[in-house]
Amino acid sequence: MATKEEQQAYAEKIKSIQPKPPYVLNCIKAFLVGGIICTIGQAIQMFYMTYFNFTQETAGNPTVATLILIAALLTGLGVYDKIGQFAGAGSVVPVTGFANAVTSAALEHKSEGLVLGVATNLFKLAGAVIVFGAVSAYIFGMIRYIFQHLT
Protein backbone atom coordinates (compact mmCIF):
# COMPACT_ATOMS: atom_id res chain seq x y z
CA MET A 1 0.00 0.00 0.00
CA ALA A 2 1.30 3.43 -0.92
CA THR A 3 2.12 5.96 1.75
CA LYS A 4 0.28 9.22 2.05
CA GLU A 5 3.23 11.14 0.58
CA GLU A 6 3.34 8.82 -2.43
CA GLN A 7 -0.37 9.26 -2.98
CA GLN A 8 -0.03 13.06 -2.84
CA ALA A 9 2.92 13.01 -5.25
CA TYR A 10 0.96 10.82 -7.64
CA ALA A 11 -2.09 13.11 -7.43
CA GLU A 12 0.08 16.17 -8.19
CA LYS A 13 1.72 14.41 -11.15
CA ILE A 14 -1.65 13.41 -12.60
CA LYS A 15 -3.05 16.89 -12.05
CA SER A 16 -0.21 18.43 -14.04
CA ILE A 17 -0.85 16.28 -17.15
CA GLN A 18 -4.64 16.07 -16.93
CA PRO A 19 -6.38 18.21 -19.58
CA LYS A 20 -8.45 21.11 -18.30
CA PRO A 21 -12.19 20.84 -18.98
CA PRO A 22 -13.56 23.53 -21.32
CA TYR A 23 -15.68 25.28 -18.68
CA VAL A 24 -16.72 28.23 -20.84
CA LEU A 25 -17.73 26.04 -23.78
CA ASN A 26 -19.65 23.71 -21.46
CA CYS A 27 -21.50 26.66 -19.96
CA ILE A 28 -22.41 28.01 -23.39
CA LYS A 29 -23.68 24.60 -24.56
CA ALA A 30 -25.69 24.13 -21.35
CA PHE A 31 -27.18 27.61 -21.67
CA LEU A 32 -28.13 27.18 -25.32
CA VAL A 33 -29.66 23.70 -24.98
CA GLY A 34 -31.49 24.61 -21.77
CA GLY A 35 -32.79 27.72 -23.52
CA ILE A 36 -33.93 25.70 -26.53
CA ILE A 37 -35.80 23.26 -24.27
CA CYS A 38 -37.48 26.15 -22.46
CA THR A 39 -38.33 27.82 -25.78
CA ILE A 40 -39.95 24.60 -26.99
CA GLY A 41 -41.94 24.52 -23.73
CA GLN A 42 -43.05 28.11 -24.30
CA ALA A 43 -44.10 27.27 -27.87
CA ILE A 44 -46.13 24.31 -26.62
CA GLN A 45 -47.82 26.54 -24.05
CA MET A 46 -48.63 29.13 -26.72
CA PHE A 47 -50.06 26.32 -28.89
CA TYR A 48 -52.44 25.29 -26.10
CA MET A 49 -53.39 28.91 -25.45
CA THR A 50 -54.02 29.65 -29.12
CA TYR A 51 -55.74 26.52 -30.39
CA PHE A 52 -57.50 25.29 -27.25
CA ASN A 53 -58.33 28.66 -25.65
CA PHE A 54 -56.50 27.90 -22.41
CA THR A 55 -55.44 30.76 -20.20
CA GLN A 56 -51.81 31.10 -19.20
CA GLU A 57 -52.59 29.44 -15.87
CA THR A 58 -54.56 26.51 -17.31
CA ALA A 59 -52.10 25.85 -20.16
CA GLY A 60 -49.35 24.95 -17.68
CA ASN A 61 -50.49 21.41 -16.88
CA PRO A 62 -50.89 20.17 -20.47
CA THR A 63 -47.61 21.86 -21.36
CA VAL A 64 -45.76 20.01 -18.61
CA ALA A 65 -47.44 16.73 -19.56
CA THR A 66 -46.42 17.22 -23.20
CA LEU A 67 -42.80 17.99 -22.25
CA ILE A 68 -42.71 14.88 -20.05
CA LEU A 69 -44.06 12.76 -22.90
CA ILE A 70 -41.56 14.16 -25.39
CA ALA A 71 -38.62 13.68 -23.01
CA ALA A 72 -39.70 10.12 -22.17
CA LEU A 73 -40.02 9.25 -25.86
CA LEU A 74 -36.64 10.77 -26.66
CA THR A 75 -35.10 8.85 -23.76
CA GLY A 76 -36.63 5.61 -24.99
CA LEU A 77 -35.24 6.24 -28.47
CA GLY A 78 -31.78 7.07 -27.08
CA VAL A 79 -31.85 10.66 -28.32
CA TYR A 80 -32.06 12.39 -24.93
CA ASP A 81 -28.84 10.69 -23.80
CA LYS A 82 -27.02 12.23 -26.76
CA ILE A 83 -28.50 15.63 -25.92
CA GLY A 84 -27.33 15.16 -22.33
CA GLN A 85 -23.82 14.21 -23.42
CA PHE A 86 -23.61 17.33 -25.56
CA ALA A 87 -25.31 19.82 -23.24
CA GLY A 88 -24.43 18.48 -19.81
CA ALA A 89 -26.39 20.40 -17.21
CA GLY A 90 -28.43 22.17 -19.89
CA SER A 91 -30.43 19.01 -20.47
CA VAL A 92 -31.45 18.80 -16.84
CA VAL A 93 -34.14 21.45 -17.17
CA PRO A 94 -36.43 20.31 -14.33
CA VAL A 95 -39.34 18.75 -16.22
CA THR A 96 -37.45 17.08 -19.06
CA GLY A 97 -34.53 16.06 -16.88
CA PHE A 98 -36.89 14.46 -14.39
CA ALA A 99 -38.74 12.61 -17.15
CA ASN A 100 -35.41 11.42 -18.53
CA ALA A 101 -34.28 10.16 -15.12
CA VAL A 102 -37.53 8.30 -14.47
CA THR A 103 -37.62 6.72 -17.93
CA SER A 104 -33.93 5.77 -17.80
CA ALA A 105 -34.42 3.98 -14.48
CA ALA A 106 -37.27 1.97 -15.96
CA LEU A 107 -35.39 1.14 -19.17
CA GLU A 108 -32.34 -0.12 -17.26
CA HIS A 109 -34.44 -2.86 -15.69
CA LYS A 110 -36.62 -3.86 -18.65
CA SER A 111 -34.88 -7.25 -18.85
CA GLU A 112 -36.46 -8.12 -15.49
CA GLY A 113 -39.94 -7.94 -16.99
CA LEU A 114 -42.74 -5.43 -17.33
CA VAL A 115 -43.99 -5.53 -13.74
CA LEU A 116 -40.90 -6.34 -11.66
CA GLY A 117 -38.51 -4.50 -13.93
CA VAL A 118 -40.09 -1.50 -15.62
CA ALA A 119 -43.03 -0.74 -13.33
CA THR A 120 -41.11 -1.28 -10.09
CA ASN A 121 -38.16 0.88 -11.11
CA LEU A 122 -40.18 3.55 -12.91
CA PHE A 123 -40.99 5.36 -9.70
CA LYS A 124 -37.81 4.81 -7.69
CA LEU A 125 -36.59 8.31 -8.42
CA ALA A 126 -40.07 9.80 -8.66
CA GLY A 127 -40.99 8.51 -5.21
CA ALA A 128 -37.99 10.19 -3.60
CA VAL A 129 -38.66 13.45 -5.43
CA ILE A 130 -42.33 13.42 -4.42
CA VAL A 131 -41.52 12.64 -0.77
CA PHE A 132 -38.83 15.30 -0.46
CA GLY A 133 -40.96 17.77 -2.40
CA ALA A 134 -43.94 17.21 -0.09
CA VAL A 135 -41.80 17.39 3.06
CA SER A 136 -40.01 20.55 1.99
CA ALA A 137 -43.33 22.13 0.92
CA TYR A 138 -44.74 21.37 4.37
CA ILE A 139 -41.69 22.81 6.14
CA PHE A 140 -41.64 26.00 4.07
CA GLY A 141 -45.42 26.30 4.40
CA MET A 142 -45.14 26.10 8.18
CA ILE A 143 -42.33 28.67 8.21
CA ARG A 144 -44.43 31.01 6.09
CA TYR A 145 -47.47 30.45 8.30
CA ILE A 146 -45.44 31.24 11.43
CA PHE A 147 -43.95 34.40 9.93
CA GLN A 148 -47.35 35.63 8.69
CA HIS A 149 -48.90 35.22 12.12
CA LEU A 150 -45.98 36.77 13.98
CA THR A 151 -46.28 40.08 12.14
Side-chain angles (χ1 to χ4, degrees):
M1 182 163 199
T3 65
K4 189 173 184 177
E5 293 82 25
E6 291 173 334
Q7 289 175 350
Q8 288 176 342
Y10 179 75
E12 288 177 19
K13 185 176 181 180
I14 292 298
K15 188 176 182 181
S16 67
I17 60 172
Q18 187 175 16
K20 303 286 184 222
Y23 292 117
V24 174
L25 180 62
N26 289 345
C27 288
I28 291 170
K29 289 193 293 188
F31 177 78
L32 290 175
V33 172
I36 290 169
I37 292 171
C38 292
T39 303
I40 291 169
Q42 185 65 42
I44 292 169
Q45 183 178 19
M46 295 300 293
F47 171 79
Y48 283 121
M49 290 170 57
T50 303
Y51 293 103
F52 294 102
N53 295 322
F54 283 116
T55 64
Q56 188 170 2
E57 293 80 25
T58 58
N61 289 337
T63 301
V64 170
T66 304
L67 285 171
I68 289 171
L69 176 66
I70 291 169
L73 288 173
L74 290 176
T75 300
L77 296 172
V79 175
Y80 205 89
D81 293 336
K82 292 177 184 174
I83 294 170
Q85 288 174 352
F86 174 78
S91 66
V92 191
V93 175
V95 172
T96 56
F98 180 69
N100 175 39
V102 169
T103 307
S104 294
L107 289 175
E108 285 179 21
H109 299 279
K110 69 181 177 184
S111 63
E112 298 171 19
L114 186 61
V115 175
L116 295 178
V118 175
T120 304
N121 290 290
L122 186 63
F123 294 107
K124 273 186 175 177
L125 176 71
V129 170
I130 292 168
V131 168
F132 287 114
V135 169
S136 62
Y138 174 77
I139 291 170
F140 285 111
M142 291 305 294
I143 291 170
R144 181 176 178 190
Y145 178 79
I146 290 169
F147 279 123
Q148 281 182 342
H149 289 293
L150 288 178
T151 57

